[in-house]
Amino acid sequence: MTLSEYNERKIYSEASGASAFVDDQVSIHLNEFGVYEECFMCDEKREDIDRVCYVSPNLNSDINETVVSHELFSQHEGISFDDRIGYYLSLYVGHVAEGDFREKASSGGMGTWIFAELFRQNMIDAVIHVKGNSNPNDPILFRYDISRTLEEIRSGAKTKYYPVEMSQVLKLVKENPGRYAIIGIPSFIMSIRLLAMKDEVIRERIKYTVGLICGHQKSSKFCEALAWQVGIKPGQLEHIDFRKKMPGGQASQYGLEFVGYIDGKKTTIIKPKSELLGQDWGQGFFKQLASDFTDDVFNETADIVLGDAWLPEYNKDYQGNNVVIIRNPEISELVKFGRASNKLNLDEVDVHTIFRSQASHYRHTHDELAYRLYKKDKIGEWRPQKRVDPSKNIGLLRRKVQDLREEISIKSHVVYKEAVDSDNLDHFVREMNILSKKYKGLYKVLIIQSKGV
């Protein structure tokens, strides 16, 4: 791929930071819309950029998740395979019973517990995960960081709906020998796998990958817009807890906690997510474009995969539960020991239960990707090579849902910037509420249709 071709297609890049890691002529920064962007700092005539494209799942047209996962997991004794969730040794739903792991987590606490147990069993020396930015002079709220003690590992608990990139921590891994575990969304874990194929040091040092089930990536403006709605203006937000558990409700009825300045006074505000515009995940406020061009729902190349148990039988518990997919035999043994010693309260489940927890996510990310690909092909625009064939053969109303989601996503970025430039939050709320109400109305029609009317 030439540099000019790359510049045309990089809008589909996941901007994980892997490109900046493999090529020092690539810089990565948050652009004006709060999305990480990779740029070449070199002559336009340069053409040796294959390694940059190689580590980007959306730009690598030769190696996909099916190829990588088969190489990683197919040889394990007792391994099973499902077309939807990929390889698996064991499947669970539940939570951590030990200590306060669950209390301090977004849902069941399994992510932090796995890291802690790997560390306690001397299977790793450090964890690569997302934590609050320790630099008070840097407006970026969250970054990938490295934790080398149990206390530091536990400080990285909870989900952050915020853009991050890995270039700096990968350089630290390269410079500092040790055994590492890393957590990430599907495209980031796939980038690590692709990078490991080319870099022996990374392959040897990153021992375990913990994958998250992720609806889509947000821009940094997502939390900024939410904070502005509670009175904390852009630039005045100091911290946000995206998943504040609310006793008495259901797991899906969580709140958000904001810490920031209002008229110069530091303030903490907690709001139920239902009271904030943009919290309907299906609408896709501030969605990054690359997220709409992945077909990896269940993080198929990760050793263990964690997600929210969005299931009626588990959603009643406000503290939350995880769905767990395990592919790595060593992690499987850790979890079995955790269950036997009553550290983990996990129910063994079947593939259907795991899939059911993410059925809506799968429909959008996998099934209806065909229509998004079809739309790009129809206008002759390049798009990533995927494991789904382009097609418009989904229902008319589902096509309208896809069209409206695209419009909401694009306009949320543009309209919010207009609101910030004019210091007018009402402009953002007014314009986006029009689309949000249209979306809700469309779903009412879908509900009526599903009842056979």
Side-chain angles (χ1 to χ4, degrees):
M1 185 184 297
T2 65
L3 184 55
S4 60
E5 288 173 328
Y6 172 82
N7 286 331
E8 290 174 1
R9 301 172 185 182
K10 71 178 182 180
I11 59 170
Y12 295 98
S13 170
E14 306 80 6
S16 67
S19 295
F21 173 71
V22 300
D23 194 320
D24 59 11
Q25 288 298 310
V26 177
S27 67
I28 185 165
H29 64 278
L30 276 179
N31 65 21
E32 61 182 336
F33 296 104
V35 175
Y36 274 107
E37 183 178 352
E38 297 158 323
C39 297
F40 269 94
M41 305 177 293
C42 60
D43 192 320
E44 281 292 329
K45 295 179 180 179
R46 176 180 168 175
E47 297 196 14
D48 56 327
I49 63 170
D50 288 347
R51 58 183 173 176
V52 168
C53 299
Y54 187 92
V55 297
S56 170
N58 270 352
L59 301 182
N60 187 327
S61 59
D62 298 320
I63 303 176
N64 60 34
E65 291 82 357
T66 300
V67 174
V68 173
S69 61
H70 178 81
E71 178 70 22
L72 289 168
F73 307 120
S74 63
Q75 77 283 4
H76 294 324
E77 183 179 352
I79 199 80
S80 299
F81 179 80
D82 179 82
D83 287 337
R84 299 164 299 178
I85 74 169
Y87 288 96
Y88 64 95
L89 285 170
S90 46
L91 307 171
Y92 302 104
V93 177
H95 58 267
V96 180
E98 177 187 0
D100 60 357
F101 282 94
R102 188 189 192 194
E103 178 185 339
K104 294 185 175 180
S106 294
S107 53
M110 280 297 297
T112 308
W113 187 88
I114 284 294
F115 284 142
E117 193 65 7
L118 286 168
F119 188 81
R120 291 185 294 206
Q121 298 301 323
N122 194 31
M123 297 169 70
I124 58 171
D125 303 302
V127 167
I128 306 166
H129 56 165
V130 179
K131 299 165 67 175
N133 189 353
S134 59
N135 183 355
N137 298 316
D138 190 339
I140 294 174
L141 295 181
F142 300 98
R143 291 185 181 276
Y144 262 107
D145 203 350
I146 297 178
S147 294
R148 300 182 183 278
T149 68
L150 191 58
E151 183 180 357
E152 289 178 348
I153 290 170
R154 297 192 64 170
S155 72
K158 289 222 170 187
T159 301
K160 289 90 175 174
Y161 300 123
Y162 195 89
V164 290
E165 60 90 15
M166 303 183 292
S167 63
Q168 295 305 310
V169 291
L170 290 175
K171 289 174 183 176
L172 290 173
V173 170
K174 197 72 176 281
E175 295 165 359
N176 296 275
R179 301 163 299 167
Y180 298 83
I182 188 170
I183 192 168
I185 61 176
S187 60
F188 279 40
I189 297 300
M190 180 61 173
S191 284
I192 290 293
R193 298 302 197 186
L194 293 170
L195 179 60
M197 291 180 177
K198 294 292 188 180
D199 191 313
E200 184 177 352
V201 174
I202 294 297
R203 182 167 65 250
E204 289 299 316
R205 292 181 182 173
I206 297 184
K207 297 292 186 182
Y208 302 99
T209 58
V210 178
L212 298 171
I213 296 173
C214 171
H216 58 263
Q217 287 182 272
K218 296 290 192 184
S219 80
S220 66
K221 305 303 181 183
F222 173 61
C223 67
E224 194 178 281
L226 296 174
W228 201 358
Q229 291 176 55
V230 302
I232 301 173
K233 285 194 167 187
Q236 299 300 304
L237 179 65
E238 191 173 89
H239 177 74
I240 180 171
D241 181 347
F242 291 95
R243 296 285 294 271
K244 185 75 173 177
K245 295 181 179 182
M246 307 288 277
Q250 296 186 341
S252 58
Q253 297 171 329
Y254 54 84
L256 290 90
E257 182 178 65
F258 305 89
V259 180
Y261 292 87
I262 299 177
D263 297 328
K265 182 180 179 181
K266 191 171 183 177
T267 308
T268 299
I269 299 173
I270 298 174
K271 278 281 187 181
K273 71 167 189 172
S274 59
E275 296 181 15
L276 296 167
L277 178 66
Q279 274 290 299
D280 184 330
W281 222 250
Q283 293 184 22
F285 275 60
F286 299 101
K287 182 194 298 182
Q288 298 191 28
L289 178 63
S291 294
D292 259 345
F293 290 88
T294 177
D295 53 20
D296 183 0
V297 178
F298 289 95
N299 220 316
E300 296 169 47
T301 67
D303 292 318
I304 176 172
V305 182
L306 308 172
D308 289 293
W310 301 133
L311 296 161
E313 59 268 38
Y314 291 95
N315 193 41
K316 297 174 184 177
D317 186 344
Y318 81 92
Q319 295 186 82
N321 287 279
N322 289 118
V323 292
V324 184
I325 304 169
I326 302 176
R327 304 187 179 109
N328 182 297
E330 294 174 355
I331 292 181
S332 182
E333 289 304 311
L334 279 186
V335 170
K336 286 178 182 178
F337 177 78
R339 295 182 74 212
S341 58
N342 297 317
K343 292 181 178 181
L344 302 176
N345 185 352
L346 297 175
D347 301 327
E348 288 189 80
V349 298
D350 58 16
V351 169
H352 176 66
T353 301
I354 297 292
F355 176 77
R356 189 161 51 91
S357 75
Q358 307 295 325
S360 296
H361 175 17
Y362 191 89
R363 178 177 60 198
H364 172 83
T365 303
H366 184 275
D367 295 346
E368 295 180 357
L369 170 60
Y371 178 61
R372 299 193 293 277
L373 296 174
Y374 164 80
K375 286 174 61 175
K376 293 296 180 184
D377 290 352
K378 186 177 180 181
I379 62 176
E381 183 177 307
W382 185 91
R383 46 76 175 178
Q385 185 68 36
K386 296 282 103 179
R387 296 172 292 174
V388 174
D389 294 327
S391 171
K392 66 173 182 178
N393 293 328
I394 62 174
L396 174 62
L397 290 179
R398 293 307 310 179
R399 294 201 298 272
K400 289 186 176 295
V401 167
Q402 285 297 317
D403 294 340
L404 190 51
R405 283 175 175 170
E406 180 182 20
E407 184 180 4
I408 290 172
S409 174
I410 293 171
K411 284 198 172 179
S412 64
H413 297 288
V414 175
V415 174
Y416 182 74
K417 186 176 184 303
E418 293 171 351
V420 172
D421 290 344
S422 60
D423 191 24
N424 184 3
L425 175 63
D426 288 342
H427 171 65
F428 174 77
V429 172
R430 181 176 61 253
E431 294 298 315
M432 297 311 297
N433 250 329
I434 293 171
L435 292 174
S436 180
K437 289 176 181 178
K438 186 176 179 181
Y439 182 90
K440 291 175 182 177
L442 181 56
Y443 256 82
K444 287 180 181 178
V445 176
L446 278 166
I447 292 172
I448 292 171
Q449 183 190 61
S450 70
K451 293 180 179 180
V453 179

